[in-house]
Amino acid sequence: MHYWILACLLGLHSLSASAADLIDFWGTPRHGGNSFNRLPPDQAYFEALRGYGATWVRLSYDKWQPAQRDFLLGDADHYQGLPKADLEQLRAVLDRAHQAGLKVVITPLSLPGMRWSQNNDGQFDDRLWQDKRYWSQAADFWRDLARELKGHPAIAAYNLINEPAPEMQGGLAEHAAAPLMQRWYEREKGGARDLPGLYRQLLSAVREVDEVTPVMVDAGWYAAADAFSYWPEPLQDDRVLYSIHMYEPYAATSAPNMTRKQPLAYPGTVPFAGQSEQWDGRRVAQYLEQPLAWLAAMKVPSTRLVVGEFGCMRRLPGCQQYLEDVLKVLDHNQLHWAFYSFREDSWDGMDYELGSAKVPWRYWQAIEKGTADPLARQATSEFEPIRRRLVQSAQ
Protein backbone atom coordinates (compact mmCIF):
# COMPACT_ATOMS: atom_id res chain seq x y z
CA MET A 1 0.00 0.00 0.00
CA HIS A 2 1.29 3.48 -0.84
CA TYR A 3 2.27 5.44 2.25
CA TRP A 4 0.02 8.37 1.31
CA ILE A 5 -3.01 6.05 1.09
CA LEU A 6 -2.18 4.58 4.50
CA ALA A 7 -1.79 8.05 5.96
CA CYS A 8 -5.19 9.10 4.59
CA LEU A 9 -6.86 6.00 5.98
CA LEU A 10 -5.28 6.55 9.39
CA GLY A 11 -6.41 10.17 9.33
CA LEU A 12 -9.98 9.18 8.52
CA HIS A 13 -9.93 6.56 11.26
CA SER A 14 -8.65 9.15 13.74
CA LEU A 15 -11.41 11.60 12.79
CA SER A 16 -14.07 8.91 13.11
CA ALA A 17 -12.77 7.82 16.51
CA SER A 18 -12.65 11.40 17.75
CA ALA A 19 -16.21 12.04 16.61
CA ALA A 20 -17.38 8.89 18.34
CA ASP A 21 -15.55 9.84 21.54
CA LEU A 22 -17.18 13.26 21.74
CA ILE A 23 -20.73 12.16 21.03
CA ASP A 24 -20.29 9.10 23.22
CA PHE A 25 -19.81 11.41 26.21
CA TRP A 26 -23.53 12.03 25.80
CA GLY A 27 -24.36 8.33 25.45
CA THR A 28 -25.03 7.99 29.20
CA PRO A 29 -26.82 10.48 31.51
CA ARG A 30 -24.60 13.48 32.31
CA HIS A 31 -25.33 15.76 35.25
CA GLY A 32 -23.86 19.18 35.90
CA GLY A 33 -24.48 22.83 36.65
CA ASN A 34 -24.73 26.21 34.98
CA SER A 35 -22.05 28.89 35.35
CA PHE A 36 -23.39 32.36 34.54
CA ASN A 37 -20.94 34.32 36.68
CA ARG A 38 -19.79 37.93 36.33
CA LEU A 39 -16.18 36.96 37.09
CA PRO A 40 -14.44 34.15 35.20
CA PRO A 41 -14.58 31.05 37.43
CA ASP A 42 -11.36 30.16 39.23
CA GLN A 43 -9.91 26.71 39.84
CA ALA A 44 -11.61 26.33 43.22
CA TYR A 45 -15.01 26.93 41.60
CA PHE A 46 -14.60 24.07 39.14
CA GLU A 47 -13.08 21.79 41.76
CA ALA A 48 -16.08 22.37 44.02
CA LEU A 49 -18.57 21.52 41.28
CA ARG A 50 -16.61 18.43 40.33
CA GLY A 51 -16.35 17.52 44.01
CA TYR A 52 -20.11 17.12 44.20
CA GLY A 53 -19.95 14.63 41.32
CA ALA A 54 -20.81 16.84 38.33
CA THR A 55 -19.37 15.80 34.98
CA TRP A 56 -20.08 18.95 32.97
CA VAL A 57 -20.71 22.65 33.21
CA ARG A 58 -22.76 24.84 30.91
CA LEU A 59 -20.59 27.93 30.69
CA SER A 60 -21.67 31.42 29.70
CA TYR A 61 -19.16 34.26 29.40
CA ASP A 62 -21.43 37.23 28.61
CA LYS A 63 -21.12 38.78 32.08
CA TRP A 64 -17.32 38.83 31.98
CA GLN A 65 -15.50 42.11 31.37
CA PRO A 66 -15.11 42.41 27.59
CA ALA A 67 -12.21 43.90 25.67
CA GLN A 68 -14.72 45.86 23.59
CA ARG A 69 -18.53 46.27 23.81
CA ASP A 70 -19.57 42.58 23.94
CA PHE A 71 -17.47 39.67 25.16
CA LEU A 72 -16.13 37.56 22.25
CA LEU A 73 -18.39 39.35 19.76
CA GLY A 74 -16.58 42.66 19.94
CA ASP A 75 -19.81 44.43 19.05
CA ALA A 76 -23.15 42.60 18.65
CA ASP A 77 -24.23 45.42 16.32
CA HIS A 78 -21.60 44.42 13.78
CA TYR A 79 -19.41 41.34 14.28
CA GLN A 80 -15.91 41.71 12.79
CA GLY A 81 -13.92 38.99 14.52
CA LEU A 82 -13.08 37.48 17.91
CA PRO A 83 -11.23 39.88 20.24
CA LYS A 84 -7.93 38.23 21.09
CA ALA A 85 -7.99 39.15 24.78
CA ASP A 86 -11.48 37.68 25.26
CA LEU A 87 -10.48 34.47 23.50
CA GLU A 88 -7.40 34.09 25.68
CA GLN A 89 -9.49 34.56 28.82
CA LEU A 90 -12.00 31.95 27.66
CA ARG A 91 -9.23 29.47 26.91
CA ALA A 92 -7.76 29.96 30.38
CA VAL A 93 -11.15 29.18 31.96
CA LEU A 94 -11.53 26.09 29.77
CA ASP A 95 -8.10 24.95 30.90
CA ARG A 96 -9.20 25.26 34.54
CA ALA A 97 -12.38 23.27 33.92
CA HIS A 98 -10.37 20.55 32.18
CA GLN A 99 -7.92 20.41 35.04
CA ALA A 100 -10.84 19.83 37.41
CA GLY A 101 -12.11 16.97 35.24
CA LEU A 102 -15.19 18.77 33.90
CA LYS A 103 -16.48 18.92 30.36
CA VAL A 104 -17.79 22.27 29.14
CA VAL A 105 -20.68 23.32 26.93
CA ILE A 106 -19.94 26.82 25.61
CA THR A 107 -23.15 28.89 25.72
CA PRO A 108 -23.36 32.45 24.37
CA LEU A 109 -26.22 34.61 25.58
CA SER A 110 -25.76 37.01 22.66
CA LEU A 111 -25.25 36.76 18.92
CA PRO A 112 -24.90 39.52 16.32
CA GLY A 113 -28.25 41.27 16.22
CA MET A 114 -29.38 39.59 19.45
CA ARG A 115 -27.72 41.23 22.42
CA TRP A 116 -28.72 39.66 25.74
CA SER A 117 -31.26 41.94 27.39
CA GLN A 118 -29.26 42.35 30.61
CA ASN A 119 -26.40 43.77 28.51
CA ASN A 120 -28.89 45.85 26.53
CA ASP A 121 -30.49 48.11 29.15
CA GLY A 122 -33.14 45.46 29.79
CA GLN A 123 -34.47 45.60 26.23
CA PHE A 124 -35.25 42.49 24.18
CA ASP A 125 -33.16 42.61 20.97
CA ASP A 126 -35.22 41.28 18.06
CA ARG A 127 -32.93 42.27 15.16
CA LEU A 128 -31.66 38.73 14.52
CA TRP A 129 -35.28 37.66 14.02
CA GLN A 130 -36.00 40.48 11.57
CA ASP A 131 -32.95 40.65 9.32
CA LYS A 132 -31.00 37.70 7.91
CA ARG A 133 -27.98 39.92 7.55
CA TYR A 134 -27.36 39.12 11.20
CA TRP A 135 -27.66 35.41 10.44
CA SER A 136 -24.57 35.71 8.25
CA GLN A 137 -22.68 37.54 10.99
CA ALA A 138 -23.73 34.88 13.52
CA ALA A 139 -22.46 32.18 11.17
CA ASP A 140 -19.14 34.02 10.86
CA PHE A 141 -18.90 34.21 14.64
CA TRP A 142 -19.55 30.50 15.14
CA ARG A 143 -17.18 29.53 12.33
CA ASP A 144 -14.43 31.59 13.98
CA LEU A 145 -15.13 30.30 17.49
CA ALA A 146 -15.34 26.64 16.44
CA ARG A 147 -12.05 26.99 14.56
CA GLU A 148 -10.36 28.42 17.66
CA LEU A 149 -11.79 25.93 20.18
CA LYS A 150 -11.64 22.81 18.03
CA GLY A 151 -9.76 20.09 19.83
CA HIS A 152 -9.74 21.71 23.27
CA PRO A 153 -10.05 18.77 25.69
CA ALA A 154 -12.67 20.47 27.87
CA ILE A 155 -15.23 21.07 25.14
CA ALA A 156 -18.22 18.70 25.09
CA ALA A 157 -20.56 20.74 22.87
CA TYR A 158 -21.31 24.14 21.39
CA ASN A 159 -24.71 25.48 22.55
CA LEU A 160 -25.39 27.79 19.59
CA ILE A 161 -27.47 30.35 21.51
CA ASN A 162 -29.10 30.44 24.92
CA GLU A 163 -32.89 30.68 25.04
CA PRO A 164 -33.79 32.05 21.61
CA ALA A 165 -37.24 33.65 21.30
CA PRO A 166 -37.98 34.47 17.65
CA GLU A 167 -41.66 33.88 18.43
CA MET A 168 -41.99 36.58 21.09
CA GLN A 169 -42.52 39.51 18.71
CA GLY A 170 -43.59 37.26 15.85
CA GLY A 171 -47.21 36.65 16.71
CA LEU A 172 -47.03 33.28 18.51
CA ALA A 173 -48.24 33.07 22.11
CA GLU A 174 -46.05 31.31 24.65
CA HIS A 175 -47.23 27.73 25.31
CA ALA A 176 -49.67 27.86 22.40
CA ALA A 177 -51.27 24.58 21.39
CA ALA A 178 -49.15 22.49 19.02
CA PRO A 179 -51.43 23.01 15.98
CA LEU A 180 -51.19 26.79 16.43
CA MET A 181 -47.40 26.53 16.70
CA GLN A 182 -47.24 24.47 13.53
CA ARG A 183 -49.42 26.89 11.56
CA TRP A 184 -47.27 29.78 12.78
CA TYR A 185 -44.13 28.03 11.57
CA GLU A 186 -45.61 27.30 8.16
CA ARG A 187 -46.11 31.05 7.81
CA GLU A 188 -42.62 31.97 9.07
CA LYS A 189 -40.62 29.16 7.43
CA GLY A 190 -37.81 30.56 5.32
CA GLY A 191 -38.00 33.97 6.96
CA ALA A 192 -35.87 35.56 9.65
CA ARG A 193 -37.92 33.98 12.47
CA ASP A 194 -37.27 30.45 11.21
CA LEU A 195 -35.29 29.07 14.17
CA PRO A 196 -34.48 25.67 12.58
CA GLY A 197 -33.35 27.58 9.50
CA LEU A 198 -30.97 29.70 11.57
CA TYR A 199 -29.63 26.59 13.27
CA ARG A 200 -28.98 24.94 9.91
CA GLN A 201 -26.93 27.94 8.80
CA LEU A 202 -24.94 28.10 12.05
CA LEU A 203 -24.40 24.34 12.06
CA SER A 204 -23.12 24.46 8.50
CA ALA A 205 -20.63 27.17 9.48
CA VAL A 206 -19.38 25.11 12.44
CA ARG A 207 -19.01 22.00 10.31
CA GLU A 208 -16.84 23.85 7.81
CA VAL A 209 -14.10 23.93 10.44
CA ASP A 210 -15.11 21.29 13.00
CA GLU A 211 -16.79 18.04 11.94
CA VAL A 212 -16.44 16.48 15.38
CA THR A 213 -17.82 18.56 18.22
CA PRO A 214 -21.48 18.01 19.17
CA VAL A 215 -23.76 21.00 18.75
CA MET A 216 -26.56 21.76 21.22
CA VAL A 217 -29.68 23.67 20.12
CA ASP A 218 -32.26 25.20 22.45
CA ALA A 219 -35.96 25.10 21.62
CA GLY A 220 -37.71 28.39 20.89
CA TRP A 221 -39.67 30.56 23.31
CA TYR A 222 -36.72 30.64 25.74
CA ALA A 223 -36.04 26.90 25.37
CA ALA A 224 -39.57 25.94 26.44
CA ALA A 225 -40.22 22.21 26.68
CA ASP A 226 -43.22 22.49 24.34
CA ALA A 227 -41.49 24.61 21.67
CA PHE A 228 -40.04 21.78 19.59
CA SER A 229 -43.68 21.05 18.71
CA TYR A 230 -43.56 23.11 15.53
CA TRP A 231 -40.32 21.61 14.18
CA PRO A 232 -41.30 19.40 11.21
CA GLU A 233 -38.01 17.50 11.34
CA PRO A 234 -34.75 17.28 13.28
CA LEU A 235 -31.53 18.82 12.05
CA GLN A 236 -29.65 16.63 9.59
CA ASP A 237 -26.60 15.97 11.74
CA ASP A 238 -26.15 12.97 14.01
CA ARG A 239 -24.14 14.96 16.55
CA VAL A 240 -26.90 17.41 17.49
CA LEU A 241 -28.27 17.61 21.04
CA TYR A 242 -31.71 19.15 21.64
CA SER A 243 -32.06 21.28 24.75
CA ILE A 244 -34.96 22.53 26.85
CA HIS A 245 -35.12 24.56 30.07
CA MET A 246 -37.54 23.82 32.89
CA TYR A 247 -38.93 26.57 35.10
CA GLU A 248 -42.63 25.89 34.59
CA PRO A 249 -44.88 26.95 36.12
CA TYR A 250 -42.78 30.12 35.84
CA ALA A 251 -45.37 32.18 37.71
CA ALA A 252 -44.52 30.17 40.85
CA THR A 253 -40.82 29.31 40.42
CA SER A 254 -39.48 32.72 39.34
CA ALA A 255 -38.24 35.87 41.05
CA PRO A 256 -41.38 37.98 40.38
CA ASN A 257 -43.42 35.55 42.47
CA MET A 258 -41.31 36.38 45.53
CA THR A 259 -42.32 40.04 45.30
CA ARG A 260 -46.02 39.21 45.76
CA LYS A 261 -47.58 39.94 49.12
CA GLN A 262 -48.67 36.31 49.12
CA PRO A 263 -46.42 34.30 46.75
CA LEU A 264 -48.04 31.60 44.64
CA ALA A 265 -47.35 28.17 46.10
CA TYR A 266 -45.90 25.02 44.61
CA PRO A 267 -47.63 22.58 44.57
CA GLY A 268 -50.68 24.70 43.91
CA THR A 269 -52.94 26.46 41.45
CA VAL A 270 -50.87 28.70 39.20
CA PRO A 271 -51.48 30.78 36.04
CA PHE A 272 -50.18 29.01 32.94
CA ALA A 273 -50.89 29.61 29.23
CA GLY A 274 -53.76 31.94 30.02
CA GLN A 275 -55.46 29.59 32.47
CA SER A 276 -55.21 28.57 36.11
CA GLU A 277 -53.84 25.05 36.53
CA GLN A 278 -52.94 22.74 39.36
CA TRP A 279 -49.19 22.19 39.22
CA ASP A 280 -47.61 19.28 41.08
CA GLY A 281 -45.37 16.34 40.31
CA ARG A 282 -47.91 14.82 37.95
CA ARG A 283 -48.30 18.04 35.95
CA VAL A 284 -44.53 18.49 35.79
CA ALA A 285 -44.19 14.98 34.33
CA GLN A 286 -46.96 15.64 31.83
CA TYR A 287 -45.34 18.85 30.64
CA LEU A 288 -41.90 17.28 30.27
CA GLU A 289 -43.33 14.45 28.20
CA GLN A 290 -43.73 16.80 25.23
CA PRO A 291 -40.10 17.01 24.05
CA LEU A 292 -39.71 13.27 24.59
CA ALA A 293 -42.75 12.65 22.40
CA TRP A 294 -41.30 14.92 19.72
CA LEU A 295 -37.97 13.06 19.77
CA ALA A 296 -39.78 9.72 19.49
CA ALA A 297 -41.83 10.99 16.53
CA MET A 298 -38.64 12.21 14.86
CA LYS A 299 -36.89 8.88 15.61
CA VAL A 300 -34.18 10.69 17.59
CA PRO A 301 -32.90 8.80 20.67
CA SER A 302 -33.69 10.28 24.08
CA THR A 303 -29.94 10.43 24.79
CA ARG A 304 -29.97 13.50 22.53
CA LEU A 305 -32.26 15.45 24.89
CA VAL A 306 -30.61 17.76 27.43
CA VAL A 307 -32.39 19.70 30.16
CA GLY A 308 -29.88 22.52 29.99
CA GLU A 309 -31.40 24.51 32.85
CA PHE A 310 -33.94 23.94 35.58
CA GLY A 311 -34.56 25.59 38.91
CA CYS A 312 -36.75 27.38 41.39
CA MET A 313 -36.39 30.41 43.67
CA ARG A 314 -34.61 28.93 46.67
CA ARG A 315 -36.62 30.98 49.20
CA LEU A 316 -39.97 29.66 47.97
CA PRO A 317 -41.16 27.11 50.57
CA GLY A 318 -42.06 24.57 47.85
CA CYS A 319 -38.79 24.88 45.92
CA GLN A 320 -37.25 21.71 47.32
CA GLN A 321 -40.36 19.74 46.36
CA TYR A 322 -40.29 21.29 42.89
CA LEU A 323 -36.66 20.28 42.34
CA GLU A 324 -37.49 16.77 43.52
CA ASP A 325 -40.47 16.52 41.17
CA VAL A 326 -38.47 17.69 38.15
CA LEU A 327 -35.53 15.43 38.93
CA LYS A 328 -37.78 12.38 39.36
CA VAL A 329 -38.90 12.83 35.75
CA LEU A 330 -35.32 13.30 34.55
CA ASP A 331 -34.21 10.22 36.50
CA HIS A 332 -37.02 8.10 35.08
CA ASN A 333 -36.12 9.06 31.51
CA GLN A 334 -32.34 8.97 32.11
CA LEU A 335 -31.85 12.47 30.75
CA HIS A 336 -28.87 14.79 30.82
CA TRP A 337 -29.28 17.88 32.98
CA ALA A 338 -27.58 20.94 34.40
CA PHE A 339 -29.15 22.76 37.34
CA TYR A 340 -29.35 26.53 37.49
CA SER A 341 -27.10 27.70 38.95
CA PHE A 342 -23.82 26.95 40.67
CA ARG A 343 -22.41 29.64 42.98
CA GLU A 344 -23.65 32.56 40.93
CA ASP A 345 -21.89 35.76 41.97
CA SER A 346 -24.39 38.23 40.51
CA TRP A 347 -27.76 36.82 41.60
CA ASP A 348 -28.53 34.61 44.57
CA GLY A 349 -32.05 33.47 43.66
CA MET A 350 -31.23 29.90 42.59
CA ASP A 351 -27.97 29.37 44.48
CA TYR A 352 -29.20 26.48 46.63
CA GLU A 353 -26.03 26.20 48.71
CA LEU A 354 -27.15 29.46 50.35
CA GLY A 355 -30.21 27.78 51.84
CA SER A 356 -33.40 29.80 52.25
CA ALA A 357 -32.05 32.87 54.06
CA LYS A 358 -31.50 36.29 52.53
CA VAL A 359 -27.92 37.02 51.55
CA PRO A 360 -26.06 39.63 53.64
CA TRP A 361 -25.36 43.10 52.31
CA ARG A 362 -21.71 42.29 51.61
CA TYR A 363 -22.85 40.05 48.72
CA TRP A 364 -24.39 43.05 46.95
CA GLN A 365 -21.46 45.28 47.88
CA ALA A 366 -19.10 42.88 46.10
CA ILE A 367 -21.24 43.14 42.97
CA GLU A 368 -21.15 46.95 43.12
CA LYS A 369 -17.38 46.96 43.57
CA GLY A 370 -16.72 44.22 41.01
CA THR A 371 -14.91 42.13 43.60
CA ALA A 372 -15.12 38.40 44.30
CA ASP A 373 -18.20 36.88 45.90
CA PRO A 374 -17.43 36.79 49.66
CA LEU A 375 -19.98 34.17 50.77
CA ALA A 376 -19.08 30.65 51.85
CA ARG A 377 -21.20 27.85 50.39
CA GLN A 378 -22.23 24.51 51.84
CA ALA A 379 -24.64 21.69 51.17
CA THR A 380 -28.12 22.61 52.45
CA SER A 381 -31.54 20.97 52.53
CA GLU A 382 -32.52 23.17 49.57
CA PHE A 383 -29.61 21.73 47.59
CA GLU A 384 -30.21 18.14 48.68
CA PRO A 385 -32.33 16.94 45.70
CA ILE A 386 -29.49 17.97 43.38
CA ARG A 387 -26.56 17.05 45.63
CA ARG A 388 -27.83 13.52 46.21
CA ARG A 389 -28.13 12.80 42.51
CA LEU A 390 -24.74 14.28 41.67
CA VAL A 391 -23.14 12.03 44.26
CA GLN A 392 -25.04 8.98 43.01
CA SER A 393 -24.09 9.62 39.39
CA ALA A 394 -20.42 9.83 40.36
CA GLN A 395 -20.43 6.43 42.07
Side-chain angles (χ1 to χ4, degrees):
M1 181 181 294
H2 291 293
Y3 287 118
W4 68 270
I5 296 177
L6 177 60
C8 288
L9 289 173
L10 289 173
L12 288 171
H13 174 76
S14 176
L15 176 61
S16 176
S18 297
D21 290 344
L22 282 168
I23 198 59
D24 283 353
F25 174 79
W26 301 101
T28 56
R30 298 296 181 176
H31 304 152
N34 277 273
S35 177
F36 277 45
N37 285 15
R38 59 184 170 83
L39 298 180
D42 61 16
Q43 192 64 47
Y45 175 95
F46 290 124
E47 296 287 351
L49 181 58
R50 183 72 182 105
Y52 276 120
T55 54
W56 70 291
V57 58
R58 188 168 174 267
L59 179 72
S60 173
Y61 49 73
D62 290 70
K63 297 178 186 178
W64 302 352
Q65 185 63 43
Q68 300 174 32
R69 171 65 176 83
D70 301 289
F71 198 93
L72 268 190
L73 289 172
D75 188 340
D77 298 333
H78 183 47
Y79 175 72
Q80 295 182 300
L82 302 171
K84 182 179 179 182
D86 292 351
L87 187 60
E88 289 176 352
Q89 190 170 49
L90 177 59
R91 281 203 182 106
V93 172
L94 292 174
D95 291 345
R96 292 197 281 272
H98 178 62
Q99 185 176 336
L102 287 169
K103 288 293 187 182
V104 176
V105 174
I106 293 291
T107 307
L109 308 184
S110 300
L111 285 178
M114 201 203 93
R115 182 177 284 121
W116 181 48
S117 62
Q118 292 186 42
N119 286 347
N120 196 44
D121 298 322
Q123 299 299 308
F124 179 77
D125 189 354
D126 195 58
R127 292 173 296 166
L128 181 69
W129 313 119
Q130 298 181 34
D131 187 347
K132 282 191 171 182
R133 174 169 57 96
Y134 291 109
W135 286 28
S136 297
Q137 292 184 33
D140 290 342
F141 164 74
W142 264 113
R143 186 184 299 106
D144 293 346
L145 187 59
R147 181 186 294 113
E148 293 293 337
L149 297 185
K150 179 182 179 180
H152 192 289
I155 297 292
Y158 305 130
N159 197 162
L160 296 179
I161 182 61
N162 179 70
E163 295 189 346
E167 309 89 353
M168 189 165 78
Q169 295 184 10
L172 178 66
E174 189 175 15
H175 307 305
L180 291 176
M181 287 192 178
Q182 289 157 8
R183 285 200 292 272
W184 176 86
Y185 184 66
E186 281 300 313
R187 187 188 77 205
E188 299 294 336
K189 189 175 181 180
R193 297 190 188 278
D194 183 347
L195 181 60
L198 171 66
Y199 282 151
R200 284 192 293 270
Q201 185 162 330
L202 301 186
L203 180 59
S204 178
V206 169
R207 292 295 179 237
E208 287 177 29
V209 297
D210 184 346
E211 299 177 3
V212 169
T213 304
V215 166
M216 190 177 294
V217 295
D218 287 9
W221 255 123
Y222 295 108
D226 51 15
F228 281 122
S229 299
Y230 67 72
W231 288 40
E233 61 183 4
L235 299 177
Q236 300 304 304
D237 187 302
D238 60 7
R239 290 188 293 281
V240 170
L241 303 160
Y242 298 88
S243 178
I244 62 165
H245 296 176
M246 180 56 181
Y247 298 105
E248 301 302 343
Y250 187 77
T253 65
S254 61
N257 186 37
M258 302 307 296
T259 65
R260 298 173 189 262
K261 186 175 181 179
Q262 183 63 46
L264 297 168
Y266 179 88
T269 302
V270 180
F272 179 80
Q275 303 178 54
S276 290
E277 294 186 357
Q278 175 67 22
W279 275 80
D280 50 23
R282 182 177 179 180
R283 182 67 179 95
V284 164
Q286 182 186 45
Y287 180 70
L288 288 174
E289 177 60 31
Q290 293 173 92
L292 287 162
W294 180 81
L295 286 175
M298 298 295 117
K299 296 182 171 52
V300 176
S302 61
T303 55
R304 296 295 187 264
L305 182 63
V306 182
V307 181
E309 293 183 23
F310 68 93
C312 179
M313 289 296 292
R314 63 186 177 82
R315 300 187 64 233
L316 183 73
C319 183
Q320 187 176 355
Q321 182 61 55
Y322 177 78
L323 295 176
E324 188 67 36
D325 288 346
V326 170
L327 284 163
K328 281 181 180 177
V329 178
L330 309 190
D331 289 346
H332 177 73
N333 291 285
Q334 297 186 297
L335 300 181
H336 313 294
W337 52 257
F339 68 92
Y340 194 93
S341 62
F342 187 64
R343 299 188 177 181
E344 187 163 346
D345 59 3
S346 58
W347 183 61
D348 70 298
M350 295 185 182
D351 191 342
Y352 312 106
E353 287 180 302
L354 296 174
S356 60
K358 289 184 177 181
V359 292
W361 183 241
R362 66 180 186 277
Y363 178 88
W364 305 111
Q365 286 179 315
I367 295 173
E368 291 178 0
K369 296 177 181 177
T371 55
D373 182 344
L375 302 187
R377 305 306 204 277
Q378 62 182 358
T380 63
S381 59
E382 288 74 15
F383 191 46
E384 185 58 20
I386 296 168
R387 187 208 66 82
R388 184 174 73 251
R389 288 167 170 86
L390 289 175
V391 170
Q392 289 171 350
S393 66
Q395 292 173 348

